[in-house]
Amino acid sequence: MKFKKITTALCGVVLATALSACGGTAETPSSDGTTADNGGGDKPRVALIAKSIAGEFWVTSREGAEKAGEDLGVEVSFNGTDTESEGEKQLNQLEAAINGKPIGIGFAAQNGAEEGAPRLLEQATKDGINIVAFATPMSFSDSPIATVASNNVLMGEMAAENMIRVLDGKGKVAIITNGEVGDAAIRRDSFRDFIAANAPDIEIVDVQNGEADRAKSMDKAQAILQANQDLAGFYCTGDHGTIAAADQVKAMGKDTKVIGIDANPEMASMIQAGEVTGVVTQDAFQVGYQTVKVLVDAANGTMPAEKEVVVPSVWADQDNITEPDVAKVMGLS
């Protein structure tokens, strides 16, 4: 069996800046709509609005953003809702950020915010505020000067490549997504397309939306396993689904392989225990860092050379999780 090989590498970071480096500050992240992003310092300020203030990816991306603030001499405010399913609340946060007149805004749009966001983003651009798509592409708006994210197509393909490898190219596979549009859809479709092109003996038997909710994802996994007693693999497009599927496989005493996208310390422990086969994970720290850097550079007159600032992803499994570069991205060092 032959299929194309996908290679990845961790990217280095050039800490060059047009601003003198001094200690930046970051406000405490808030799930409230309009009060946390109030600035008030003498330094230029960058506002980041995540999909959520929960979840290890967003926590780690905040750490990267704060480090960029320190290195580049800007204040960084970081807000997000409690969950990734509060579109109206996130739009309130975006509007508050715009009203605060930062030098730039990094916005990670929830699915529920996509309809209302273009008007606000257009207003920000008119006000001279640069916008960067933070971790999540914005196909619904032309406002971003760049997208800083991992390549979701390559992430889905990398997961598929490893699924083919661990299943020796045959068996039944089910997919649990963390949404139906946006990055979840790209990760779903790129995985499915790669399997179809490279592994004709692997059958995708079901695709279910776990809605980025662990309990809902676990219910979906249970129903899939009950309907497919010989299921060989689960592929999950987000960490909630991956953990839920692995927990359900363990509870039902199955030997189904579980591969996912995104990770956290709990996931790392599950990989080490053999409960999760492996994950494709983003370098969340660098996603946060580079988002701030692009905005600061733009404020100083240097626009990004490319519209897509790609932060490479990493495959992690039992064989390589203790390697220094992988352990760092997985939050183990």
Side-chain angles (χ1 to χ4, degrees):
M1 175 179 56
K2 296 181 180 179
F3 51 88
K4 68 178 181 178
K5 181 68 178 177
I6 302 167
T7 60
T8 59
L10 290 173
C11 61
V13 183
V14 179
L15 302 182
T17 176
L19 292 174
S20 59
C22 54
T25 62
E27 298 177 19
T28 302
S30 169
S31 61
D32 296 331
T34 60
T35 59
D37 188 29
N38 55 15
D42 294 330
K43 296 177 183 177
R45 183 169 51 84
V46 169
L48 265 59
I49 301 171
K51 284 187 178 181
S52 168
I53 56 172
E56 192 67 23
F57 176 86
W58 301 111
V59 172
T60 304
S61 67
R62 177 195 171 204
E63 293 171 356
E66 291 178 353
K67 183 61 168 66
E70 294 172 4
D71 290 341
L72 307 179
V74 299
E75 293 186 2
V76 176
S77 65
F78 193 101
N79 290 325
T81 58
D82 293 326
T83 72
E84 295 188 15
S85 303
E86 300 175 82
E88 286 300 319
K89 197 171 185 179
Q90 193 190 40
L91 290 174
N92 291 338
Q93 293 180 338
L94 176 59
E95 186 171 21
I98 294 168
N99 291 338
K101 306 296 183 185
I103 62 171
I105 294 174
F107 184 53
Q110 295 181 7
N111 294 345
E114 291 186 1
E115 184 175 348
R119 174 185 60 83
L120 294 174
L121 296 171
E122 183 178 350
Q123 183 59 54
T125 300
K126 289 180 180 177
D127 291 346
I129 301 171
N130 288 313
I131 303 294
V132 163
F134 165 40
T136 303
M138 292 190 211
S139 60
F140 55 86
S141 174
D142 294 326
S143 294
I145 61 172
T147 297
V148 178
S150 295
N151 186 309
N152 283 300
V153 171
L154 292 181
M155 293 177 78
E157 290 179 348
M158 192 188 303
E161 179 183 5
N162 282 282
M163 183 67 79
I164 294 169
R165 177 179 58 81
V166 300
L167 296 185
D168 196 24
K170 57 184 180 293
K172 295 180 179 179
V173 172
I175 300 173
I176 298 177
T177 70
N178 59 328
E180 295 183 332
V181 297
D183 53 5
I186 296 170
R187 295 172 180 183
R188 175 197 65 207
D189 294 345
S190 58
F191 175 91
R192 190 161 47 187
D193 292 347
F194 192 95
I195 293 291
N198 296 287
D201 292 330
I202 290 182
E203 178 187 4
I204 307 295
V205 295
D206 203 353
V207 180
Q208 294 291 328
N209 179 17
E211 302 178 41
D213 181 279
R214 191 178 299 190
K216 292 179 180 179
S217 297
M218 197 161 183
D219 288 343
K220 301 288 187 181
Q222 182 181 39
I224 290 170
L225 285 168
Q226 288 173 341
N228 300 274
Q229 295 292 322
D230 57 345
L231 190 74
F234 268 119
Y235 164 60
C236 305
T237 65
D239 55 355
H240 296 290
T242 307
I243 292 173
D247 283 345
Q248 192 60 50
V249 166
K250 182 179 179 181
M252 295 178 68
K254 300 289 187 179
D255 60 359
T256 306
K257 305 296 185 184
V258 179
I259 287 176
I261 291 182
D262 292 337
N264 55 42
E266 182 180 2
M267 187 91 68
S269 297
M270 296 176 79
I271 291 173
Q272 290 173 315
E275 296 168 7
V276 171
T277 306
V279 295
V280 179
T281 185
Q282 305 176 75
D283 190 340
F285 186 95
Q286 285 303 323
V287 171
Y289 191 104
Q290 294 297 328
T291 297
V292 172
K293 185 177 186 302
V294 168
L295 288 167
V296 172
D297 285 348
N300 285 282
T302 303
M303 300 301 284
E306 303 288 342
K307 291 283 286 185
E308 303 292 330
V309 180
V310 177
V311 178
S313 301
V314 176
W315 167 257
D317 60 16
Q318 274 190 318
D319 293 334
N320 72 354
I321 196 169
T322 58
E323 294 176 6
D325 286 345
V326 178
K328 181 178 179 181
V329 175
M330 293 294 295
L332 296 176
S333 64

